[in-house]
Amino acid sequence: MTLAMLPHRHVLTLPTVPSAVRVARETAEQVLVEWGISRRHPAVDPALLILSELVANAVRHAAVASPHVTVIYAAAKDTFAFAVHDRHPYQPALHGALTGNRSSGLATVVELTLALAGTAVVRQDADAGGKSIWITLPL
């Protein structure tokens, strides 16, 4: 499924500071309710944890090069997708997260995503100056 096929979209741009984690999570909760996705759906809590970890990673590791972090939320009745974008050029290897430091936040992201039968992809910006990490989860 491509982003264009997901009828619901919301974009949030925040300063790359610690409070961005809370705001991104609260915004996700609000848009899910607006889109008719139950807060009690079994994928929602793990999705919020994944989102929080990705935004926290951007704050922790990308703030020096990226004054803002952008979160893109998208959904359909059977899919919830989101991306966390920053302008730091480093691109983590998601497939290596599970074989490397198992206590890393990225390993948690990959484990939760796979446990939910979802996908995680890193997409480099066209100018190679930043990236987005996209998570797509079935509902």
Side-chain angles (χ1 to χ4, degrees):
M1 180 168 286
T2 66
L3 181 62
M5 297 171 70
L6 301 174
H8 303 293
R9 287 186 209 90
H10 184 83
V11 178
L12 176 68
T13 300
L14 300 162
T16 311
V17 297
S19 63
V21 177
R22 177 184 47 79
V23 174
R25 185 180 175 108
E26 289 173 353
T27 301
E29 291 173 329
Q30 290 171 355
V31 297
L32 288 169
V33 168
E34 288 174 16
W35 297 339
I37 299 167
S38 172
R39 176 66 180 84
R40 289 187 292 232
H41 188 286
V44 170
D45 280 338
L48 295 174
L49 180 58
I50 293 166
L51 174 65
S52 297
E53 187 58 44
L54 291 176
V55 175
N57 281 349
V59 169
R60 191 175 308 116
H61 302 293
V64 296
S66 184
H68 294 94
V69 61
T70 299
V71 182
I72 303 161
Y73 308 91
K77 69 177 181 139
D78 61 351
T79 305
F80 179 46
F82 53 91
V84 175
H85 175 266
D86 65 62
R87 288 293 295 163
H88 193 288
Y90 175 73
Q91 295 195 27
L94 296 179
H95 65 279
L98 291 176
T99 59
N101 179 2
R102 302 279 302 185
S103 65
S104 79
L106 200 50
T108 300
V109 164
V110 174
E111 284 180 19
L112 285 172
T113 301
L114 293 176
L116 294 167
T119 60
V121 177
V122 178
R123 293 196 178 123
Q124 184 177 41
D125 289 356
D127 67 358
K131 81 282 191 181
S132 297
I133 299 179
W134 278 94
I135 305 294
T136 304
L137 302 171
L139 295 175

